[in-house]
Amino acid sequence: MEDVKGSDGLGDTELRLGLPGTSTATRSAKRALPEGDEESHDELRRTSATKAQVVGWPPIRSYRKNSFPARKVEAEAEAAAGLYVKVSMDGAPFLRKIDLSVYKGYKELREGLDNMFKCFSFGELSRREGGSGSEYAITYEDKDGDLMLVGDVPWEMFISSCKRLRIMKGSEARGLESRH
Amino acid sequence: MREERSDMSEDEDGGGGVEQKERWGSSHGGGCCGSAKSRGGVWTDPPPPFSDQVLENVLENVLQFLVCRRDRNAASLVCRSWYRAEAQSRGELFIGNCYAVSPRRATDRFHRVRSVVLKGKPRFADFSLVPLGWGAHFSPWASAMAAAYPWLERICLKRMSIADDDLSLLAFSFPFFKDLTLICCDGFGTPGLAVIAEKCRHLRVLDLIEAYLEEEEEDEVVDWISKFPQTTTSLETLGFDCVDSAVNFEALEALVARSPALRQLRVNHHVTVDQLFRLMVRAPQLTHLGTGSFGPPAALAPQGDVMEHEADLVSAFAASSFAEITADELKPVIHHCHNLQKFWVLDTVRDEGLQAVAATCKDLRELRVFPLNATEDSEGFVSDVGLAAISEGCRRLRSILYFCQQMTNKAVITMSKNCQELVVFRLCIMGRHLPDHHTKEPMDEGFGAIVMNCKKLTRLAVSGLLTDKAFGYIGKYGKSIRTLSVAFAGDSDVGLRYVLEGCPKLQKLEIRDSPFGDPALLSGIHQYYNMRFLWMNSCKLSIRGCKDVAQRLPRLVVEVIRDRPEADEETVEKLYMYRSLAGPRNDAPPFVKIL
């Protein structure tokens, strides 16, 4: 469902029924979920590890979500192997955590971060031409503790060395760019 | 007796209702009759001015005893004399929406306020639906109060943006300051806490509930716990479970040791179980103990005496909702808790755990069951079974918040019949549009039964697959409902109309992702001045409809929030509207358009 975004960019908040990956997007969903086939339905739920979550649903305060200890429940044993890193954004009051292992590459990572922080107009980044003059840049802290600009090294190398992500103001990041 | 302020919900403490109601719609403010001419015609001439003053003084002394703000609001409308007397004797100022009135106007009217309660952002801000920087700044209020209320003792803020400077201003402006409670606030950090600790020598309560502190680097974190006066303190409540940075434990232990009045303590996740034990030893008089997270069992040192006390600890934490307790761990403990009234727990206890609660806690008043995994497709640990069990066992239940993945109408109907005392019913079926798990029908009948049978219901949150029929029930039977939360529900405009036309006491309405459009919005014109606010996001509203409302109701502030600049101009993605005497605010950020 991640790649299906409404033309007005509000894909995440659109109501929709149907299997993940299809584009049956209806604004008002009245029909009950497919009957009887509960087993396959449960399977559907488990297969989409990267199913786009709707912002603010279920309605639990972020504080509560983040403060639960990182103990994995049996059903999510596979996810326990995930690469969780903290993501901070300059000016945002609290951090998020993302699992790098669910992303295939930089593009998906950017989209994922865009979804997460869209309230903070991070979307500007990919919309401006060529990325120059963009408001924010994604940086990360590597194993040595250095602050690096995301995107320079191959994806596999990146996820193995990335310890923490930081979305910083474009003006600060430019200093990094010019050094390369 | 001080009220539980942990949620500050107006429904649960019974003190809810309309805040200061000036004359909405009339051309002049103030009271009605000028001179004391009674209806019975006892006096034919206006009495000499001297007796007016006497009357007011007497009245003030009598009105002192009126505590409930709804009663005070009513009293203030009797006549100008009563208005003045009430204004002079009001000790607690409650502002349900910080933008409904200007700080100046509030301080001009009420001169002898000792306690202020102020609420800011709409509740959906908790779920990341309100962009950062939207508003609800405490600064203008802090300045106004610093000038007007030197005797101020208590401040309680909910969803406000507070700067460290504001806290500093408080600390320096109010020499008698005693209680500070901050719920879901943001913008401040440890420097602010340090000033409060250091300067407020009479501090009784410092309670931070789910506040989002500013992120601070290691070297920026201030050791605020050490700043409390070294003498015996008057601290009764100290809660800082939401503070992310570690506190100086030695200082904390010493503080607890010299705070003989301490009854409630909530520490953050940096405090280990061992340390907690040490604190308990220091403060045996504690009645409330909690922590932000329960460390994994590996952290428990395998020492004899620690293990013995584990049962005590678990019983203390069971109420904090953050411990991942299983049914087996819960049962031996809950078995003893016959007097338990308030229970917040994770769904890891499962239906079985809830059944144990139902078997023992006959006096339970408030239950909250939170999901371990707050995602739509997570495995549900509790279900209709747990809900039905609770309803059978806990007949005095007043307030319930229940997150689950499957529910049936039958269980909800059962609860509606068994729990006649219900004031707050919030059911969140996490999967969107999920029908009754057994019958596959919409959840209309279940929620319908709740509004029909629970005559005292004032707060309702609905979920699951719902048609307009459910709203029909709410409109028809929900005559006492003040707060309604709707998400992913309804078929058409008719649904919202039912509610707006049928619920006369409606104060707060928050809706998301439901197919309600302009016609529905317009059907509530008669109601909006009676309400505190309406929030709608991801519905079917357009600019035209919202402008229409704004034009017809001049005292309503209609905010359209557009945090995605490329979205089309016509659609209204997020609407927040509220009655206000202050007019459009001047601190609106660029993404807010006030119509």
Side-chain angles (χ1 to χ4, degrees), chain B residues 314-315 318-319 327 329-340 342-343 345 352-361 364:
Chain B
V314 171
S315 71
E329 287 164 344
L330 178 67
K331 282 200 269 198
V333 175
I334 208 77
H335 187 59
H336 301 291
C337 303
H338 298 277
N339 297 327
L340 196 63
K342 181 171 165 180
F343 190 49
V345 72
E352 203 189 326
L354 295 178
Q355 283 163 334
V357 172
T360 313
C361 309
L364 195 67

Side-chain angles (χ1 to χ4, degrees), chain A residues 9 13 15 55 57 61 91, chain B residues 132 210 430 488 512-513 564:
Chain A
T13 56
L15 309 179
V55 173
W57 187 263
R61 292 177 191 156
Chain B
L132 196 67
E210 300 189 36
M430 292 193 285
F488 303 102
R512 66 167 294 175
D513 293 280
R564 308 211 92 182

Side-chain angles (χ1 to χ4, degrees), chain B residues 317-592:
Chain B
F317 299 161
S320 82
S321 91
F322 301 100
E324 283 178 44
I325 306 177
T326 65
D328 287 335
E329 287 164 344
L330 178 67
K331 282 200 269 198
V333 175
I334 208 77
H335 187 59
H336 301 291
C337 303
H338 298 277
N339 297 327
L340 196 63
Q341 291 194 344
K342 181 171 165 180
F343 190 49
W344 293 16
V345 72
L346 279 187
D347 63 357
T348 48
V349 297
R350 296 184 182 259
D351 287 329
E352 203 189 326
L354 295 178
Q355 283 163 334
V357 172
T360 313
C361 309
K362 297 303 176 190
D363 204 22
L364 195 67
R365 309 288 168 104
E366 181 182 326
L367 174 68
R368 295 197 190 187
V369 181
F370 295 100
L372 175 71
N373 297 312
T375 53
E376 274 186 77
D377 45 1
S378 62
E379 184 194 335
F381 293 124
V382 297
S383 69
D384 51 295
V385 172
L387 191 75
I390 290 288
S391 78
E392 297 289 344
C394 309
R395 299 294 173 114
R396 300 206 194 117
L397 199 64
R398 287 197 197 148
S399 168
I400 183 163
L401 171 60
Y402 198 86
F403 284 86
C404 60
Q405 280 294 11
Q406 63 192 49
M407 187 47 59
T408 62
N409 281 307
K410 186 166 175 217
V412 180
I413 293 172
T414 305
M415 177 156 268
S416 78
K417 293 190 177 144
N418 289 340
C419 301
Q420 291 288 303
E421 301 296 314
L422 274 178
V423 173
V424 174
F425 184 79
R426 298 159 69 190
L427 176 62
C428 180
I429 303 168
M430 292 193 285
R432 290 172 282 159
H433 314 297
L434 280 188
D436 180 312
H437 187 66
H438 290 154
T439 66
K440 302 305 178 200
E441 282 171 9
M443 292 298 299
D444 298 341
E445 297 306 315
F447 286 102
I450 290 285
V451 289
M452 226 188 294
N453 299 330
C454 302
K455 308 279 193 284
K456 301 185 182 177
L457 198 76
T458 59
R459 183 170 179 184
L460 179 66
V462 301
S463 61
L465 181 68
L466 293 169
T467 70
D468 288 340
K469 202 170 173 204
F471 296 101
Y473 287 134
I474 295 173
K476 188 168 177 195
Y477 297 105
K479 296 306 177 190
S480 310
I481 291 184
R482 295 203 292 259
T483 306
L484 180 63
S485 305
V486 177
F488 303 102
D491 301 323
S492 71
D493 287 333
V494 169
L496 181 54
R497 277 188 76 154
Y498 280 142
V499 171
L500 290 169
E501 288 173 1
C503 301
K505 295 263 168 74
L506 197 60
Q507 294 280 291
K508 300 180 263 184
L509 181 56
E510 46 190 27
I511 303 173
R512 66 167 294 175
D513 293 280
S514 300
F516 305 135
D518 296 344
L521 189 69
L522 287 160
S523 72
I525 293 270
H526 66 286
Q527 186 72 325
Y528 297 134
Y529 276 163
N530 298 330
M531 291 170 58
R532 186 182 300 170
F533 72 80
L534 168 67
W535 167 281
M536 287 175 72
N537 76 275
S538 312
C539 298
K540 281 177 151 178
L541 299 173
S542 80
I543 276 281
R544 211 170 306 135
C546 298
K547 274 192 175 151
D548 207 343
V549 173
Q551 263 160 17
R552 283 153 74 160
L553 297 174
R555 301 271 216 173
L556 205 67
V557 174
V558 179
E559 294 192 13
V560 170
I561 297 168
R562 183 165 277 123
D563 44 353
R564 308 211 92 182
E566 73 279 0
D568 82 85
E569 288 297 311
E570 265 304 303
T571 334
V572 165
E573 184 56 25
K574 295 179 182 172
L575 169 72
Y576 181 52
M577 54 191 220
Y578 49 91
R579 64 183 176 188
S580 174
L581 291 174
R585 57 191 176 108
N586 54 13
D587 63 356
F591 53 80
V592 168

Side-chain angles (χ1 to χ4, degrees), chain B residues 77-120:
Chain B
L77 292 175
V78 168
C79 65
R80 248 183 234 140
S81 176
W82 279 57
Y83 176 91
R84 280 193 298 267
E86 192 283 312
Q88 289 292 76
S89 60
R90 189 179 290 228
E92 174 170 301
L93 183 60
F94 176 92
I95 309 278
N97 174 4
C98 64
Y99 288 123
V101 65
S102 70
R104 183 61 193 274
R105 189 167 180 150
T107 54
D108 278 352
R109 177 173 170 182
F110 301 106
H111 293 155
R112 303 223 192 113
V113 166
R114 307 249 162 162
S115 165
V116 172
V117 176
L118 191 53
K119 295 188 179 182

Side-chain angles (χ1 to χ4, degrees), chain A residues 1 5 8-17 27-36 38 41 44-46 48 51-65 67-71 73 75-76 86 88-96 114-115 118-121 123-124 127 164 166, chain B residues 7 126-129 131-132 158-159 184 186 210 212-215 241-242 292-297 321-322 324 344 346 368 370-379 381 403 405 428-435 437 440 463 465 487-488 490-491 512-513 515 538-540 563-567 573-574:
Chain A
M1 269 162 81
K5 276 195 176 176
D8 52 359
L10 299 167
D12 284 349
T13 56
E14 267 199 301
L15 309 179
R16 66 186 75 174
L17 288 181
R27 192 79 195 178
S28 55
K30 291 170 289 261
R31 300 187 311 274
L33 293 167
E35 297 187 12
E38 281 198 290
H41 176 63
L44 282 175
R45 285 178 167 184
R46 273 196 281 273
S48 44
K51 175 178 174 181
Q53 300 286 336
V54 171
V55 173
W57 187 263
I60 298 270
R61 292 177 191 156
S62 315
Y63 163 71
R64 282 220 173 91
K65 273 186 190 170
S67 64
F68 292 143
R71 268 199 269 175
V73 181
E76 283 173 75
K86 285 187 191 174
S88 65
M89 175 156 167
D90 286 355
F94 49 90
L95 280 66
R96 303 297 303 271
D114 190 15
N115 279 340
K118 63 180 170 217
C119 297
F120 310 122
S121 62
E124 298 299 314
R127 268 116 188 117
R164 195 188 156 119
R166 187 176 150 195
Chain B
D7 191 50
D126 291 351
F127 316 127
S128 312
L129 289 170
L132 196 67
K158 190 168 187 181
R159 293 194 193 96
C184 300
D186 63 20
E210 300 189 36
Y212 296 113
L213 268 69
E214 294 286 276
E215 198 199 324
D241 47 315
C242 53
S293 74
F294 204 15
S321 91
F322 301 100
E324 283 178 44
W344 293 16
L346 279 187
R368 295 197 190 187
F370 295 100
L372 175 71
N373 297 312
T375 53
E376 274 186 77
D377 45 1
S378 62
E379 184 194 335
F381 293 124
F403 284 86
Q405 280 294 11
C428 180
I429 303 168
M430 292 193 285
R432 290 172 282 159
H433 314 297
L434 280 188
H437 187 66
K440 302 305 178 200
S463 61
L465 181 68
F488 303 102
D491 301 323
R512 66 167 294 175
D513 293 280
S538 312
C539 298
K540 281 177 151 178
D563 44 353
R564 308 211 92 182
E566 73 279 0
E573 184 56 25
K574 295 179 182 172

